[in-house]
């Protein structure tokens, strides 16, 4: 196959300029414009952009319309995933002008330049963590089979749970049992990698032989040295992916950053919030 490059952005957290937002900790619109300007100068030009979720900070239609206006500056195809800060109804209305099936997961796939891009909607209304329901897994299996010969990029806002037991910080991942189901489904397939976000720091893993690429994103960075709290600091980056016959390479482009503290959350509160939402959903 011919060498193909692409851009990975994530956690854009675009806000609605008409609505003040105390939970938006940086000028994400300016950062996204800066990233797109940098992307436009890459030579040779990348073929497409993957935006792996948390496209907006509030999930309202106005924020998506603002995002749509910003993204109009690029002529590259853009494949969007939804994250926990997104809402399906807001995305469908603001980005796609869609007025039907507003609660349906936004799962979709595309083939271009010999690459099969599969986007899974791991967002779960009311929850921080990610899920993939049985209908979505069946859809994924069908799409994998439809282009079995092509190398594949899987896009999901939440990365799979990496360990052999449910993690204590389960709000950061796809639910553990569903992660195991996903691993079984992808086993033996031609998977180049999984592209994700959500945790706000750059992280590369190999999960059952599959590269899992998590991007820091364009809103704020997690200070991974702070173990007792979720400490958010100033920072942003994006990725340049290159697909060759030998596999996937990811290069990171950090933006100038001070790492100054922007906000902090109690980890206990995040865990309690996620567990309460899961309990309510299953009651």
């Amino acid at each position: 196959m011919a060498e193909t490059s692409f851009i990975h952005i994530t956690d854009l957290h675009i806000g609605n300029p008409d609505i003040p937002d105390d939970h938006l900790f940086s000028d994400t619109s300016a950062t996204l414009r800066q990233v797109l300007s940098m992307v436009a100068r890459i030579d040779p030009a990348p073929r497409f952009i993957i935006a792996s979720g948390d496209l907006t900070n509030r999930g309202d239609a106005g924020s998506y319309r603002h995002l749509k206006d910003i993204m109009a500056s690029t002529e590259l195809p853009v494949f969007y995933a939804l994250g926990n800060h997104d809402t399906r109804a807001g995305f469908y209305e603001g980005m796609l002008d869609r007025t039907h099936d507003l609660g349906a997961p936004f799962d979709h796939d595309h083939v271009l330049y010999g690459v099969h891009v599969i986007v899974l909607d791991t967002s779960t209304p009311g929850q921080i963590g990610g899920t993939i329901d049985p209908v979505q897994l069946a859809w994924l299996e069908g799409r994998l089979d439809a282009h079995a010969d092509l190398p594949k990029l899987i896009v999901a806002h939440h990365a799979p749970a990496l360990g052999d037991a449910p993690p204590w910080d389960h709000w950061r991942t796809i639910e553990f049992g569903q992660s195991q189901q996903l691993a079984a489904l992808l086993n033996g397939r031609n998977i180049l990698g999984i592209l994700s976000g959500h945790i706000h720091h750059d992280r590369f893993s190999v999960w059952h032989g599959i590269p899992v690429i998590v991007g820091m994103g364009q809103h704020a960075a997690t200070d991974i040295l702070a173990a007792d709290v979720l400490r958010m600091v100033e920072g942003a980056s994006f990725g340049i992916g290159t697909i060759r016959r030998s596999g996937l390479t990811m290069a990171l482009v950090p933006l100038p950053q001070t790492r100054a503290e922007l906000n902090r959350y109690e980890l206990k509160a995040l865990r309690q919030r996620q567990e309460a939402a899961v309990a309510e959903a299953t009651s």
Side-chain angles (χ1 to χ4, degrees):
M1 63 177 297
E3 187 172 299
T4 301
S5 66
F6 66 91
I7 301 300
H8 178 213
I9 57 178
T10 192
D11 294 87
L12 285 58
H13 286 267
I14 296 299
N16 185 336
D18 297 327
I19 301 177
D21 188 347
D22 293 337
H23 295 281
L24 194 58
F25 306 121
S26 66
D27 189 344
T28 51
S29 295
T31 300
L32 180 56
R33 289 190 179 99
Q34 180 182 3
V35 168
L36 292 176
S37 177
M38 296 168 73
V39 168
R41 297 195 298 269
I42 296 174
D43 185 22
R47 299 292 194 175
F48 54 88
I49 297 174
I50 287 172
S52 60
D54 278 3
L55 309 175
T56 68
N57 204 47
R58 296 169 55 93
D60 60 293
S63 293
Y64 291 105
R65 293 189 188 100
H66 185 47
L67 170 61
K68 190 174 182 178
D69 288 343
I70 296 173
M71 296 303 295
S73 68
T74 181
E75 296 180 354
L76 298 175
V78 185
F79 305 124
Y80 296 103
L82 299 187
N84 54 292
H85 276 257
D86 295 305
T87 67
R88 293 167 183 171
F91 173 80
Y92 289 139
E93 179 185 347
M95 287 291 287
L96 303 184
D97 296 319
R98 175 169 151 177
T99 59
H100 63 283
D101 295 332
L102 298 184
F106 186 55
D107 302 320
H108 51 109
D109 70 318
H110 313 265
V111 174
L112 70 172
Y113 304 105
V115 180
H116 187 194
V117 179
I118 303 177
V119 183
L120 283 169
D121 184 350
T122 58
S123 69
T124 311
Q127 295 187 30
I128 304 172
T131 60
I132 309 173
D133 67 32
V135 173
Q136 290 178 285
L137 287 169
W139 174 86
L140 174 59
E141 183 173 19
R143 301 321 300 156
L144 291 167
D145 290 341
H147 301 285
D149 58 322
L150 295 180
K152 294 166 180 26
L153 287 173
I154 308 295
V155 184
H157 180 64
H158 302 81
L162 301 176
D164 295 325
W168 70 271
D169 54 349
H170 51 84
W171 64 85
R172 300 180 193 261
T173 71
I174 296 170
E175 190 274 331
F176 178 75
Q178 294 162 7
S179 294
Q180 299 295 95
Q181 291 177 286
L182 179 63
L185 187 56
L186 298 181
N187 183 43
R189 310 276 190 171
N190 187 4
I191 309 297
L192 292 164
I194 299 173
L195 300 172
S196 300
H198 186 52
I199 59 175
H200 287 247
H201 64 85
D202 294 317
R203 188 191 74 186
F204 293 177
S205 309
V206 177
W207 177 68
H208 301 288
I210 300 172
V212 179
I213 314 299
V214 178
M216 177 189 299
Q218 287 77 60
H219 177 208
T222 301
D223 179 0
I224 63 173
L225 301 180
D228 56 336
V229 295
L230 180 59
R231 180 173 180 265
M232 307 305 296
V233 299
E234 191 262 348
S237 72
F238 67 95
I240 303 174
T242 303
I243 300 168
R244 303 179 179 89
R245 186 170 56 85
S246 59
L248 173 66
T249 296
M250 289 298 300
L252 302 183
V253 183
L255 275 61
Q257 52 197 254
T258 64
R259 305 289 290 180
E261 181 171 302
L262 300 176
N263 197 46
R264 58 174 57 205
Y265 300 94
E266 293 297 327
L267 292 177
K268 180 180 178 181
L270 288 175
R271 181 172 183 172
Q272 290 175 341
R273 177 180 163 189
Q274 171 70 4
E275 290 175 349
V278 171
E280 181 179 353
T282 56
S283 63

